[in-house]
Amino acid sequence: YECIAAGVLDFDYAPALTDVSYHGETKKVWLNLSQEAATSIDELRMNGLVRAVRMYTVDYKSVTAYQVSDIGLKMLKVVPNALFDELKHIVYVPDKNNTYSDKLQISWDAENEVFSLRSGKTGYTRPSTVTDIEDVSYVCSPFIPSFLRRGVEVATNNRKRATEAAEGRSNIADAEMMEAIALGEVRLMMVEWVPFGENNMVTMAQNLGVLDRTKKGMFSEKVDKKPCDTILKITAGLTQVKVLDFDLMHFVNVEAEICYPEDEGIVQVEFFGIHVSTRGYVCFGLHIDSIMTRAADSVPVDLLTRMAVDIVQDTSKILGDMMSSHQRETMKMIFQGFPEKRKKFACYIAKSINPWYASSVQYLDRGDTENEIAQIIGPVKFGKDLGDKHFLFMGTQGLLCVGAKSYDYDAFLVPYCSLQAMMLMAGQVYER
């Protein structure tokens, strides 16, 4: 990452939720990781230039250690010195005489959850921005698959507000992001499984006011310790929820508007559709109207990745506002005190993809296009042709379905995503 940030490596990076183990404790941290770099390391391993050893940490988390092989050391001897010179100002402590004799080491601050490059000799420290997650401006509309709806209440459509994203800014450091793939008319669903039951569903429905005449309001997870007082002070960041339809014992569909504060200049019009089932399946859905200056018909994957990180974080907060205190405590226990940093299974459905190849195999080139697909759904396990330029790509963390009639597949994709979400939760329970 430091080489990419310094302009030495011409790779892209994107945020990813990653395990960081330190002194017997593992935390999930958002890191800016590069799929191109991961692919390059795999190629070095395939050619015998790098060796890898898998092992376990004290708390039984799987980690991989890398070592340059003898063949790799021989290859480095014939590498031009000019390539090494480009790296010296990154891996060595800078000095006036340019001796480059004090090599930097990676240091992890567990309390503040930041990395830094530190010298063991002089105490020189340079903070790293690898944990700084970049924000983008965007506009989205709530979406719930039609087969999950039972009512006729129409969700909000923000397409007329799409130009607001272009008026905002981003804090992306890499101004020259490479664009290999752009998707058109993207629907994004984040699916997860949480402990639910009939009692929880009835309680949530009543808290949402499904039986009230006005079925909407602001929600917060803050506990009112002085309900008899006439003044309530809470920090900025509430959720505006409107009930669309419900079955008191089985499900509730709501539309949520996010009112969380953002950095100066960042414009985010966030509306989610939320389906909560008694069985524990929760589906957050949205239709992307614009990201930065890009309209809905041409959304770059690099920008989509950064938006998806924001969606994952905000959807965890939304559900936390809606759940009971017992459910929040259960989630806190399962995720070892950090329920806000939990993974969800992502489902991307797009009507178009640019470039539009004849076969899914052409996208899986172990190069730029496959790396960009992997940014949003994780390492790609396989791709399938669904006929007439309709493609399905399955990854470890999500799936991507593309085609002019791809919206017709949501009745098949959502149940599959729900099962994958349950597997993520089961894995977390047994991992703990």
Side-chain angles (χ1 to χ4, degrees):
Y1 168 80
E2 294 296 329
C3 292
I4 297 173
V8 175
L9 288 178
D10 189 18
F11 289 163
D12 283 341
Y13 60 83
L17 198 57
T18 312
D19 287 334
V20 175
S21 296
Y22 183 75
H23 287 181
E25 182 182 10
T26 299
K27 289 185 176 181
K28 289 192 179 297
V29 181
W30 287 102
L31 296 180
N32 291 315
L33 302 184
S34 170
Q35 290 294 332
E36 290 95 333
T39 300
S40 297
I41 292 175
D42 289 340
E43 291 177 353
L44 291 173
R45 291 180 60 189
M46 291 171 60
N47 288 280
L49 302 175
V50 171
R51 295 183 294 188
V53 177
R54 293 188 179 274
M55 61 192 78
Y56 291 96
T57 62
V58 176
D59 54 348
Y60 306 105
K61 305 292 184 181
S62 177
V63 295
T64 304
Y66 297 95
Q67 181 188 51
V68 181
S69 66
D70 293 336
I71 299 175
L73 292 173
K74 293 178 181 178
M75 187 206 71
L76 289 175
K77 293 180 179 179
V78 299
V79 172
N81 290 329
L83 294 180
F84 289 105
D85 292 339
E86 294 181 4
L87 298 173
K88 287 182 178 178
H89 71 283
I90 301 173
V91 299
Y92 287 96
V93 175
D95 57 61
K96 297 181 180 179
N97 300 322
N98 294 329
T99 58
Y100 299 114
S101 58
D102 189 3
K103 188 175 294 185
L104 293 167
Q105 302 296 326
I106 298 174
S107 176
W108 169 246
D109 184 347
E111 182 178 353
N112 298 314
E113 296 188 357
V114 293
F115 281 100
S116 60
L117 300 175
R118 188 185 303 272
S119 167
K121 299 178 181 178
T122 63
Y124 170 87
T125 301
R126 185 172 76 229
S128 174
T129 57
V130 69
T131 54
D132 292 349
I133 305 305
E134 299 164 339
D135 283 330
V136 295
S137 297
Y138 59 85
V139 176
C140 61
S141 300
F143 161 73
I144 297 178
S146 58
F147 76 95
L148 296 176
R149 294 293 308 274
R150 295 296 182 271
V152 295
E153 181 75 22
V154 179
T156 302
N157 188 339
N158 291 320
R159 182 57 60 93
K160 59 182 179 297
R161 302 180 60 184
T163 56
E164 294 182 26
E167 299 172 0
R169 66 175 182 86
S170 73
N171 54 13
I172 297 178
D174 186 2
E176 299 180 355
M177 290 190 301
M178 179 185 62
E179 181 180 324
I181 291 179
L183 302 175
E185 299 296 339
V186 183
R187 285 179 175 176
L188 169 58
M189 287 178 284
M190 293 287 181
V191 186
E192 66 173 333
W193 188 90
V194 297
F196 254 98
E198 285 80 2
N199 292 335
N200 298 117
M201 178 57 61
V202 172
T203 301
M204 173 180 283
Q206 291 176 344
N207 291 338
L208 291 173
V210 298
L211 300 178
D212 296 345
R213 179 175 298 178
T214 302
K215 296 180 174 59
K216 62 180 180 180
M218 306 290 285
F219 288 87
S220 172
E221 65 177 3
K222 181 179 176 63
V223 177
D224 189 359
K225 298 180 180 179
K226 298 179 180 180
C228 293
D229 287 1
T230 57
I231 297 176
L232 174 66
K233 294 182 179 180
I234 58 176
T235 57
L238 297 175
T239 304
Q240 174 80 33
V241 176
K242 182 177 74 172
V243 178
L244 298 177
D245 50 74
F246 68 95
D247 183 318
L248 199 58
M249 296 293 292
H250 298 94
F251 73 90
V252 60
N253 290 325
V254 302
E255 170 190 306
E257 177 186 0
I258 311 307
C259 306
Y260 301 145
E262 301 292 343
D263 293 339
E264 184 179 358
I266 302 293
V267 176
Q268 294 182 351
V269 181
E270 288 186 88
F271 283 74
F272 301 147
I274 307 176
H275 171 81
V276 183
S277 167
T278 303
R279 296 183 178 182
Y281 302 118
V282 182
C283 176
F284 303 91
L286 57 95
H287 191 114
I288 299 174
D289 297 305
S290 63
I291 303 181
M292 300 301 295
T293 58
R294 306 299 291 269
D297 59 351
S298 181
V299 178
V301 169
D302 277 324
L303 295 180
L304 183 58
T305 306
R306 287 158 174 82
M307 175 184 175
V309 173
D310 200 57
I311 302 302
V312 171
Q313 295 174 331
D314 289 347
T315 51
S316 296
K317 294 179 183 177
I318 294 171
L319 196 59
D321 292 342
M322 296 168 57
M323 289 191 301
S324 66
S325 58
H326 178 263
Q327 287 175 300
R328 286 195 290 269
E329 288 299 320
T330 302
M331 295 292 284
K332 187 175 181 180
M333 182 264 301
I334 294 174
F335 291 93
Q336 302 177 348
F338 301 96
E340 70 280 359
K341 293 181 179 179
R342 60 183 187 266
K343 293 182 179 180
K344 301 175 178 65
F345 197 81
C347 177
Y348 296 84
I349 305 178
K351 281 193 172 183
S352 65
I353 184 171
N354 185 29
W356 207 319
Y357 295 136
S359 171
S360 61
V361 177
Q362 293 176 269
Y363 293 97
L364 306 181
D365 58 353
R366 298 187 64 85
D368 294 338
T369 54
E370 182 174 350
N371 288 331
E372 288 216 349
I373 293 175
Q375 283 185 9
I376 56 176
I377 65 173
V380 182
K381 296 190 288 187
F382 62 84
K384 293 289 185 181
D385 294 337
L386 302 180
D388 192 23
K389 290 191 174 182
H390 282 66
F391 311 124
L392 176 65
F393 302 96
M394 198 67 64
T396 57
Q397 301 169 17
L399 61 87
L400 169 63
C401 183
V402 178
K405 298 181 179 179
S406 58
Y407 289 177
D408 298 340
Y409 293 106
D410 58 7
F412 301 96
L413 298 177
V414 172
Y416 173 81
C417 293
S418 299
L419 291 175
Q420 292 296 320
M422 182 177 284
M423 290 179 63
L424 287 176
M425 175 60 79
Q428 178 65 32
V429 171
Y430 285 109
E431 185 181 76
R432 185 182 183 280

